[in-house]
């Protein structure tokens, strides 16, 4: 399944039953930590659109000093989910940056919590 196939599936599943994590075709509705380093088209689009300071392979990215590639740290990963799926509160890997894109069509809410309150929500 390509990313475009999943997008089409996402759009179609908006009208399906949201209670179950797997539909009647065997497709999952929420997938996390999908490694995309071999998705050439999507990786190239990230290179074109993400600013140098945040881009995973930029000379301006502090992660360039790591001696190896670490998935989810200095190699992008994606989460794919349909409407109604959500990600609970969490801290990113080693408290490093994360970029979240909402591809709509509706909006979404993002919340942040000051570090002094972090232990209250763990």
């Amino acid at each position: 399944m390509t990313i475009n196939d999943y997008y089409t599936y996402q759009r179609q599943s908006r009208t399906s039953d949201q209670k179950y994590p797997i539909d009647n075709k065997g497709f999952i509705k929420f997938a996390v930590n999908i490694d995309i380093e071999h998705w050439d088209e999507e990786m190239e689009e990230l290179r074109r659109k993400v600013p140098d300071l945040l881009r995973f392979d930029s000379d301006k990215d502090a992660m360039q000093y790591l001696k190896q590639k670490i998935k989810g740290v200095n190699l992008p990963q994606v989460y794919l989910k349909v409407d109604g799926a959500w990600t609970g509160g969490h801290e990113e890997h080693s408290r490093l940056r994360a970029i979240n894109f909402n591809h709509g069509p509706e909006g979404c809410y993002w919340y942040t919590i000051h570090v002094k309150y972090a232990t209250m929500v763990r």
Side-chain angles (χ1 to χ4, degrees):
M1 177 180 275
T2 68
I3 192 78
N4 285 328
D5 293 336
Y6 190 83
Y7 173 76
T8 301
Y9 164 68
Q10 270 187 320
R11 300 288 298 172
Q12 293 169 346
S13 69
R14 293 182 73 199
T15 58
S16 69
D17 187 353
Q18 295 293 325
K19 292 189 297 185
Y20 302 102
I22 298 176
D23 70 7
N24 60 4
K25 296 176 189 169
F27 295 136
I28 58 172
K29 295 184 178 187
F30 180 39
V32 299
N33 296 17
I34 300 171
D35 301 320
I36 64 168
E37 70 264 22
H38 300 297
W39 294 10
D40 297 333
E41 185 178 334
E42 289 80 9
M43 293 290 279
E44 187 53 40
E45 187 167 355
L46 287 173
R47 287 182 181 98
R48 284 193 320 270
K49 294 182 177 179
V50 175
D52 285 350
L53 288 173
L54 298 174
R55 200 176 66 233
F56 60 97
D57 62 353
S58 167
D59 289 341
K60 297 179 180 180
D61 180 13
M63 296 295 110
Q64 69 175 309
Y65 297 106
L66 292 176
K67 294 181 181 182
Q68 60 190 17
K69 296 293 183 188
I70 303 168
K71 295 173 183 185
V73 175
N74 60 354
L75 282 175
Q77 291 181 319
V78 297
Y79 282 33
L80 299 173
K81 39 188 150 174
V82 297
D83 285 352
W86 59 280
T87 302
H90 66 282
E91 215 171 69
E92 296 299 335
H93 302 298
S94 300
R95 296 185 176 177
L96 299 174
R97 87 262 190 224
I99 301 172
N100 297 291
F101 294 104
N102 173 26
H103 292 283
E106 287 88 18
C108 63
Y109 294 99
W110 298 100
Y111 299 95
T112 60
I113 297 169
H114 192 280
V115 69
K116 71 181 180 181
Y117 302 112
T119 57
M120 296 172 67
V121 296
R122 287 190 180 151

